[in-house]
Amino acid sequence: MEFFEKSRLVLGTGGANSLAALEEAIVASGTGLVTVALRRVDAAGPGLLPMLDRLGVAVLPNTAGCYTAGDAVKTAHLARDAFETDLVKLEVIGDERTLLPDGVELLKAAETLVGDGFRVLPYTSDDPILARRLADVGCAAVMPAGSPIGSGLGISNPHHIRLIRQSVDVPVVLDAGIGTASDAALAMELGCDAVLIASAITRAAAPAEMASAMRHAVVAGRLAFSAGRIPRRFHAVASTSDLGLAQW
């Protein structure tokens, strides 16, 4: 997708202490795309959108806070009018305790929005079958959760993330659960096309430094994936051949 030409790191704006801290983190991350919740634009202050425009960073509106397909569809239409973009990160949450997606409502909303001409990027679970169904209805990407939002637990099921990568032809963006740079590198090593990070950066003790760490982790992980890792073996394998060893 064109958004990843600048960076494979997508930054969430939730949790930032101030607009100044957010700007420092965005610059340090090198991102070209940030998510913004329609309901939070006013709370973030009138300077958010002008700041993003000044930095040359594109906006990915999201439907955070929606619990039904109907609410998510209405929010997406409002966001399209407000931000003048057909892009939408679709979130339909199942409950407040887990903040995990409601797969039934998510699929219903995705199908409607694709039909309405949106380019839909759904936040989904790490279920490969649901991810494939979302891709089949025309979503522009799938965004599986590594672990619950804001948990910092990293990637709970790397095997499923790898299965999702093999199951869909659209970009895979790991979303939620990343706690530190090694989690982001692992996501990329598993074959993800990008990662979306919010809390791990905006709530870090030093957000700009963590943003820089994530930036380098994403690049390193992608290079490692492209290079191809060696297979895991149960026993040791000498790196030097025995050619030329003295024979006794």
Side-chain angles (χ1 to χ4, degrees):
M1 300 179 81
E2 67 272 20
F3 336 108
F4 305 144
E5 292 177 357
K6 181 176 181 180
S7 168
R8 294 178 181 273
L9 171 57
V10 183
L11 188 63
T13 54
N17 288 330
S18 67
L19 200 61
L22 180 61
E23 179 170 352
E24 289 180 358
I26 290 172
V27 172
S29 74
T31 187
L33 183 68
V34 302
T35 63
V36 175
L38 177 65
R39 64 191 177 93
R40 290 176 181 159
V41 170
D42 290 340
L48 176 60
L49 296 182
M51 182 264 282
L52 295 177
D53 185 60
R54 174 166 47 82
L55 296 178
V57 176
V59 175
L60 173 61
N62 66 58
T63 62
C66 293
Y67 289 82
T68 67
D71 286 347
V73 169
K74 291 175 186 173
T75 302
H77 278 273
L78 290 172
R80 180 158 67 178
D81 293 340
F83 296 106
E84 299 181 340
T85 176
D86 290 333
L87 280 175
V88 63
K89 182 195 170 193
L90 177 61
E91 295 184 31
V92 186
I93 302 303
D95 63 47
E96 293 183 359
R97 188 172 69 88
T98 66
L99 298 179
L100 290 172
D102 182 324
V104 174
E105 293 294 302
L106 180 68
L107 189 59
K108 190 189 307 180
E111 194 164 14
T112 300
L113 290 172
V114 169
D116 290 342
F118 283 86
R119 289 188 290 167
V120 182
L121 289 73
Y123 164 62
T124 183
S125 65
D126 62 7
D127 178 354
I129 306 304
L130 178 58
R132 192 174 65 206
R133 291 286 303 275
L134 290 163
D136 287 347
V137 301
C139 289
V142 293
M143 306 180 72
S147 54
I149 292 172
S151 68
L153 291 172
I155 301 175
S156 299
N157 196 334
H159 182 62
H160 274 201
I161 299 300
R162 189 177 283 118
L163 281 174
I164 288 174
R165 176 61 287 170
Q166 294 176 353
S167 301
V168 300
D169 293 328
V170 297
V172 176
V173 183
L174 190 100
D175 182 6
I178 285 179
T180 190
S182 56
D183 300 330
L186 175 59
M188 301 304 292
E189 289 173 6
L190 293 172
C192 292
D193 297 273
V195 296
L196 191 153
I197 307 172
S199 302
I201 290 176
T202 59
R203 291 175 177 157
E209 290 181 27
M210 184 60 81
S212 180
M214 296 295 187
R215 177 181 189 170
H216 290 91
V218 168
V219 172
R222 183 67 181 181
L223 285 172
F225 172 73
S226 300
R229 62 158 297 140
I230 62 170
R232 291 182 172 85
R233 299 177 184 273
F234 188 74
H235 292 291
V237 177
S239 58
T240 303
S241 75
D242 56 5
L243 183 66
L245 282 177
Q247 301 295 318
W248 306 99

